[in-house]
Amino acid sequence: MCGGVLLRSLWGLHTRREKTRHTYKYIYSQVCYFSTSKNATFIKGLIFVVVAAYHEFSEPAMAYISEANMNFCSHYMDDEYEKLFRRLNPPRVVIDNESGKSATVIRVDSANKHGILLEVVQILTDLNLIITKAYISSDGGWFMDVFNVTDQDGNKVTDEAILEYIEKSLGPESCVSSPMRSVGVKQTVDHTTIELMGSDRPGLLSEVSAVLTNLKCNIVSTEVWTHNTRAAAVMHVTDDETGSSITDLKKLSLIKELLCNVLGGGNRKRVAKTIVTDEVTTHTDRRLHQMMFDDRDYERVSDDEFDEKQRPNVNVVNWSDKDYSVVTIQCKDRPKLLFDTVCTLTDMQYVVFHANVNAEGPEAYQEYYIRHIDGSPVKSDAERQRVIQCLEAAIERRVSEGLKLELCTTDRIGLLSDVTRIFRENSLTVTRAEVTTKGGKAVNTFYVRGASGCTVDSKTIESIRQAIGNTILKVKGAPEESVPQDSPTRSLFGGLFKSRSFVNFGLVKSYS
């Protein structure tokens, strides 16, 4: 009621051009007077929108609102303005299981904002859906994209619970939550998060988990990545006595000190980092990318022939007529590949305006039309090389090198320490690990290889299964071999602008 009166008053003042600092101060103070109401911040946002919509911000109004927003109102005005815009232009989601022959087609239309593509891709990826094709367009104020997705078995998505979750997460109901939320944030106070960054070496995970076990910490979940001689981990742990997050400050300090010592490993050239916190953190996969990016793992320590064969084909050229930089990626397909590349571009402050993704075969082809967040394309050869290196690293971090071992058993404190100790005693190195706990059951996946990088022989596998238990440890295949990177490219515009043709047509500036 009072909000409507205030807005009518503001509009009357606006039309009569009574724009004095005193008048705006009075109106704003009246809104703040009703700050205990549920709609107070929404009213403030509306005042901002009504005035701004007609481009009639006078100097007195601007001066006062700017001053008032210094402490409290700036965040809420921006937040409420964006909420209002999303309410007036709610996102639309259409899920189609009829038109596609072998995939579910998901169409998403929404108001555009930086990071929205990553948000959509992450929601689909977290549901373990496979994105076989994607077409993205967000040139302007509107974001429109189409995803062809399947379940893990390559079938259409028919689970009603999953389809309903997609509609709620991406559709109009998503406007209820703040549009300024961080992508993939998981709020919890049930555990303590430990972030580790250091030099990779055989037995590192075993040593880290042994330290936590000795300190009576139960490892609830862990994700470990290794790349380019570096190792990163995000671990969620609880106090074994309370079953919740660790609150003892002395214990937290001791955990950090001991883990820093383990991560140091005698390497004085690269600094080891340990962060222990109970605060809300970024989605685990995105955080691992950020940690390794900050550690500059994309700077290669060697360029031997083996690395060249395994390396994904990444190219960056400028399309001068449209002020886009065109990024093309061709590599062996794998789960979450699209998330990894979009996440990297987003965190490097690039905006994807158009994209075409095809991953229907063993190889994936991705094409992005990007600009930096400041509106410029890639400006120099140094920037181009950095984009290429960072995307290569993002793709390689999650490559499943080595033998895949799956462990499913009753969870207990010290389980991860015991399992990784057996790996170490059999001269195995963990290249990647995913550790989760569901309903009292530990569901763990490890990718391992010989300490010197060699394949794991059958005798070693049998020894490990006997030590851990044949019924709870399953072997899921052999080390993956590289695949030639020579399949035809595809393009967003019907194949006219293929990666090798931009320079030939004279549309693209080449840095070579």
Side-chain angles (χ1 to χ4, degrees):
M1 177 69 178
C2 53
V5 172
L6 288 169
L7 287 176
R8 286 193 294 273
S9 300
L10 178 61
W11 178 246
L13 289 168
H14 171 75
T15 55
R16 292 193 301 271
R17 302 298 193 270
E18 298 177 14
K19 300 172 184 174
T20 66
R21 179 179 174 84
H22 174 77
T23 304
Y24 277 96
K25 183 175 181 179
Y26 172 76
I27 293 175
Y28 199 85
S29 65
Q30 291 302 302
V31 174
C32 292
Y33 176 79
F34 296 102
S35 60
T36 55
S37 70
K38 294 182 180 180
N39 295 322
T41 54
F42 182 62
I43 294 170
K44 296 175 189 177
L46 281 175
I47 291 176
F48 183 88
V49 173
V50 168
V51 181
Y54 286 84
H55 307 288
E56 294 288 349
F57 255 149
S58 66
E59 290 183 5
M62 284 293 292
Y64 181 74
I65 291 180
S66 176
E67 177 184 329
N69 283 346
M70 285 296 292
N71 296 322
F72 175 77
C73 300
S74 178
H75 167 75
Y76 281 105
M77 275 196 169
D78 290 341
D79 193 29
E80 297 304 325
Y81 170 79
E82 193 166 349
K83 282 182 180 178
L84 174 64
F85 186 78
R86 286 168 62 89
R87 287 190 181 103
L88 296 175
N89 302 277
R92 296 187 292 271
V93 178
V94 177
I95 300 177
D96 179 8
N97 260 326
E98 301 297 329
S99 61
K101 292 183 180 180
S102 57
T104 298
V105 179
I106 301 175
R107 298 180 179 87
V108 182
D109 295 339
S110 173
N112 194 18
K113 64 173 182 176
H114 182 56
I116 189 171
L117 175 59
L118 176 59
E119 184 174 337
V120 174
V121 170
Q122 184 179 285
I123 288 172
L124 298 178
T125 301
D126 282 348
L127 291 170
N128 291 319
L129 300 180
I130 305 299
I131 300 174
T132 59
K133 277 188 177 182
Y135 306 93
I136 291 100
S137 179
S138 61
D139 203 349
W142 202 251
F143 171 80
M144 298 174 288
D145 55 354
V146 179
F147 297 93
N148 288 12
V149 302
T150 68
D151 60 20
Q152 291 287 315
D153 299 321
N155 302 316
K156 291 184 178 181
V157 183
T158 57
D159 189 317
E160 291 296 330
I162 293 178
L163 298 178
E164 182 180 353
Y165 179 83
I166 293 172
E167 290 180 342
K168 286 184 177 180
S169 301
L170 300 177
E173 292 186 38
S174 65
C175 294
V176 175
S177 60
S178 171
M180 299 184 72
R181 66 188 183 276
S182 299
V183 177
V185 169
K186 295 183 176 180
Q187 301 187 29
T188 179
V189 293
D190 295 334
H191 59 250
T192 297
T193 299
I194 301 175
E195 296 180 356
L196 307 174
M197 189 76 224
S199 296
D200 186 28
R201 67 176 189 278
L204 179 60
L205 181 58
S206 174
E207 295 176 31
V208 168
S209 55
V211 167
L212 293 174
T213 299
N214 290 336
L215 293 174
K216 304 298 181 183
C217 299
N218 186 37
I219 301 173
V220 179
S221 65
T222 297
E223 186 131 3
V224 181
W225 293 359
T226 62
H227 178 250
N228 199 13
T229 75
R230 304 298 287 170
V234 175
M235 314 182 81
H236 296 155
V237 303
T238 60
D239 191 316
D240 186 46
E241 294 181 357
T242 64
S244 59
S245 59
I246 302 169
T247 57
D248 188 331
L249 296 181
K250 290 183 178 180
K251 186 172 183 178
L252 291 171
S253 179
L254 183 59
I255 290 172
K256 186 172 182 178
E257 178 184 352
L258 294 180
L259 290 180
C260 273
N261 292 338
V262 171
L263 288 173
N267 189 338
R268 303 303 179 190
K269 296 181 180 180
R270 303 291 292 271
V271 177
K273 298 178 183 178
T274 302
I275 298 175
V276 181
T277 180
D278 286 329
E279 297 179 1
V280 176
T281 58
T282 307
H283 183 273
T284 299
D285 291 354
R286 187 178 187 185
R287 183 60 191 143
L288 284 166
H289 276 301
Q290 292 173 344
M291 290 165 62
M292 301 200 90
F293 174 82
D294 291 341
D295 194 60
R296 303 177 73 89
D297 75 313
Y298 52 84
E299 296 178 343
R300 295 185 179 275
V301 295
S302 64
D303 283 314
D304 55 35
E305 185 178 353
F306 177 79
D307 284 340
E308 287 293 337
K309 291 181 178 179
Q310 297 285 348
R311 188 176 300 182
N313 184 358
V314 181
N315 192 29
V316 179
V317 291
N318 275 4
W319 186 4
S320 302
D321 287 357
K322 297 295 184 180
D323 283 335
Y324 288 128
S325 290
V326 185
V327 179
T328 56
I329 301 172
Q330 196 172 345
C331 63
K332 183 174 182 179
D333 190 31
R334 61 164 175 77
K336 301 186 179 182
L337 177 63
L338 181 59
F339 170 84
D340 294 337
T341 54
V342 171
C343 178
T344 299
L345 290 171
T346 302
D347 285 339
M348 291 182 72
Q349 299 299 302
Y350 289 102
V351 179
V352 176
F353 288 88
H354 302 283
N356 173 41
V357 175
N358 194 320
E360 290 186 307
E363 273 202 353
Y365 177 79
Q366 300 179 359
E367 184 176 67
Y368 300 102
Y369 293 74
I370 67 169
R371 294 188 190 123
H372 194 267
I373 198 170
D374 63 8
S376 63
V378 173
K379 297 178 181 178
S380 65
D381 186 59
E383 183 182 357
R384 171 181 170 272
Q385 289 297 331
R386 185 167 180 264
V387 171
I388 291 174
Q389 289 177 342
C390 291
L391 286 172
E392 287 176 347
I395 294 168
E396 293 168 353
R397 287 170 193 150
R398 221 198 295 242
V399 169
S400 304
E401 294 182 350
L403 193 69
K404 182 179 179 180
L405 304 177
E406 290 185 352
L407 174 71
C408 184
T409 187
T410 303
D411 187 38
R412 60 175 174 80
I413 187 170
L415 176 64
L416 182 60
S417 176
D418 291 342
V419 171
T420 52
R421 175 182 52 80
I422 293 172
F423 291 163
R424 184 181 61 183
E425 290 172 350
N426 284 272
S427 301
L428 296 185
T429 299
V430 178
T431 60
R432 190 159 67 89
E434 298 175 9
V435 176
T436 58
T437 305
K438 299 177 182 178
K441 287 284 186 180
V443 182
N444 304 342
T445 301
F446 304 94
Y447 292 89
V448 300
R449 59 186 177 188
S452 59
C454 60
T455 57
V456 184
D457 59 59
S458 57
K459 291 183 179 180
T460 302
I461 295 173
E462 187 60 30
S463 174
I464 293 171
R465 295 191 67 184
Q466 289 181 359
I468 296 177
N470 290 326
T471 59
I472 63 175
L473 183 68
K474 296 182 179 180
V475 180
K476 291 288 185 176
E480 298 179 354
E481 297 179 354
S482 62
V483 174
Q485 318 254 348
D486 55 1
S487 66
T489 58
R490 291 163 289 274
S491 173
L492 178 64
F493 299 111
L496 173 61
F497 301 130
K498 296 182 181 178
S499 60
R500 283 174 249 175
S501 65
F502 279 94
V503 177
N504 296 336
F505 280 121
L507 299 174
V508 172
K509 176 184 176 182
S510 174
Y511 291 106
S512 57

